[in-house]
Amino acid sequence: MSGVREQRPEARYGRSADQRSDRKLKILGAVLGVGFVGMVGWFGYDYIAEQKISAELIKFDVTSDSEVQVHLEIRKDADATGTCTVRSRSADGAEVGRLDVPVEARGERRIDQVVKIRTLAKGTTAELVQCSGG
């Protein structure tokens, strides 16, 4: 018995329509993939380049039932101004205090600052929410 050939010989009949479609889809997928990666890269670069102010919460100290002290290290462009928002949460996770810290020291690139957050109840933690340039 001889085996049955399921495909036509390419040299005689050329490529099938399915093969041409598959090639076009592969090319289209590659172009769209490269475009998507480029777009993600562009948005990532734009986000990082626009960050004029960044900060890090170094430590915090619960000084009383109505106050939390927060030590911030702020890094910025020399002429940038803006605000950094810090908050305190209670043991159950509820926000008990929030403070917008103005960043105004022109000419400085690094600022160490200790701020006090007044709280409505005893705060057990502090966190840096965000910094934004103005």
Side-chain angles (χ1 to χ4, degrees):
M1 287 183 71
S2 67
V4 177
R5 198 181 243 184
E6 293 185 19
Q7 294 181 345
R8 301 179 296 176
E10 239 184 78
R12 185 178 219 182
Y13 297 106
R15 296 177 117 181
S16 71
D18 288 342
Q19 289 173 329
R20 284 190 296 268
S21 304
D22 288 347
R23 185 163 195 254
K24 288 179 184 177
L25 285 174
K26 286 178 185 177
I27 291 171
L28 179 65
V31 168
L32 289 175
V34 168
F36 180 72
V37 168
M39 184 179 69
V40 168
W42 175 259
F43 286 136
Y45 171 77
D46 188 50
Y47 176 76
I48 291 170
E50 290 297 317
Q51 292 287 325
K52 305 254 186 246
I53 298 174
S54 65
E56 183 178 354
L57 190 143
I58 303 299
K59 66 179 180 177
F60 69 91
D61 185 29
V62 179
T63 55
S64 71
D65 287 349
S66 62
E67 186 177 273
V68 176
Q69 281 189 346
V70 177
H71 180 191
L72 293 174
E73 181 181 294
I74 302 168
R75 294 169 301 281
K76 65 182 192 72
D77 291 345
D79 60 342
T81 61
T83 60
C84 287
T85 304
V86 290
R87 70 178 171 187
S88 179
R89 291 184 179 221
S90 64
D92 65 354
E95 183 177 297
V96 292
R98 178 179 282 253
L99 179 66
D100 288 330
V101 180
V103 179
E104 297 175 350
R106 293 189 183 265
E108 294 184 36
R109 293 187 177 276
R110 186 176 165 274
I111 303 168
D112 275 329
Q113 190 169 4
V114 177
V115 296
K116 296 177 182 180
I117 304 172
R118 296 202 184 273
T119 60
L120 301 173
K122 183 171 177 117
T124 58
T125 187
E127 59 186 13
L128 176 66
V129 177
Q130 72 174 13
C131 287
S132 61

